[in-house]
Amino acid sequence: FEKCYNFNSRSKRKEHIWQVKKERGFLHILRTKCKTSEDVDACASTLKEVLSKLKGMEFPEAVKYLMEVGDYEIKDVTDRPDDLDSLSYRIFQRYKNGETKRPNKRIVVAICVAMRLPFVLSNALVETAGFCFSNSKEGAMLLTILHNCNGMSFEEINRILKELSYEPLTHKND
């Protein structure tokens, strides 16, 4: 969000919010550090809108929706040459198209990481896949990844998981 808007009316503020959404995508607003009341208002209204649309969606539909509002293409978030462990195009495509009948929680988490979703949207997407995080060491570890590892490469995340004796999120041969 660019600095400083002094809006005199709520309608001007809403008009500005929609202009930013149109130009940069909904998820851009949610990734921006809030510095003003207008930033907080834009973020809160965007978050409310996205979460309400996700409610009741099936996982493939939710992934497609988040890709649309985030202005992503699968190639933007998979098979990254700078991250040898990145999520494969083939796996992402199968999950997005609903071809996987029994989703794997680790792959769902990997999709959230690949899309660099804010924690609250990652949690909502995980729920659309029918998962919740149990009060287990692995559940806590996956939540920590979603909450604290946004922006890290899969190589870094997988290295940490292996050091802690967990399975990696992705495998080079996926």
Side-chain angles (χ1 to χ4, degrees):
F1 224 20
E2 290 170 10
K3 268 189 159 187
C4 51
Y5 305 100
N6 186 4
F7 294 109
N8 297 330
S9 74
R10 191 157 183 79
S11 65
K12 281 185 182 178
R13 185 167 52 237
K14 282 187 174 187
E15 182 180 309
H16 173 72
I17 290 167
W18 281 106
Q19 185 62 33
V20 171
K21 287 177 183 178
K22 186 175 143 196
E23 290 171 5
R24 300 187 195 157
F26 281 73
L27 296 182
H28 172 78
I29 290 174
L30 297 178
R31 287 192 191 102
T32 302
K33 295 283 185 206
C34 296
K35 295 178 182 168
T36 66
S37 59
E38 288 82 13
D39 295 349
V40 172
D41 188 46
C43 196
S45 68
T46 299
L47 185 59
K48 180 180 179 221
E49 182 178 340
V50 172
L51 287 172
S52 70
K53 288 190 178 186
L54 286 174
K55 200 169 220 54
M57 283 186 180
E58 295 292 324
F59 181 77
E61 181 185 11
V63 170
K64 288 174 191 169
Y65 170 70
L66 288 172
M67 288 182 71
E68 179 185 315
V69 299
D71 197 25
Y72 291 115
E73 291 187 35
I74 293 177
K75 66 181 171 66
D76 297 333
V77 296
T78 59
D79 294 326
R80 298 179 55 93
D82 59 333
D83 186 358
L84 298 177
D85 287 348
S86 64
L87 190 61
S88 79
Y89 182 94
R90 182 176 58 88
I91 295 280
F92 195 102
Q93 183 77 12
R94 285 193 354 231
Y95 274 71
K96 179 181 151 290
N97 291 337
E99 296 168 20
T100 302
K101 300 303 175 206
R102 292 178 51 211
N104 177 307
K105 188 186 289 190
R106 298 178 97 63
I107 298 296
V108 172
V109 169
I111 288 170
C112 295
V113 170
M115 293 175 69
R116 290 180 161 76
L117 295 176
F119 177 72
V120 69
L121 293 182
S122 291
N123 204 33
L125 186 60
V126 168
E127 286 177 9
T128 67
F131 295 117
C132 62
F133 293 101
S134 61
N135 191 14
S136 67
K137 283 182 79 174
E138 184 180 38
M141 183 59 64
L142 293 173
L143 270 173
T144 300
I145 288 167
L146 289 175
H147 196 267
N148 297 30
C149 298
N150 201 338
M152 288 176 70
S153 72
F154 281 102
E155 286 179 276
E156 294 170 306
I157 293 168
N158 286 343
R159 181 187 48 75
I160 290 167
L161 288 171
K162 288 174 189 174
E163 286 174 7
L164 296 170
S165 301
Y166 290 98
E167 286 291 314
L169 285 182
T170 59
H171 298 278
K172 290 182 183 183
N173 59 356
D174 280 343

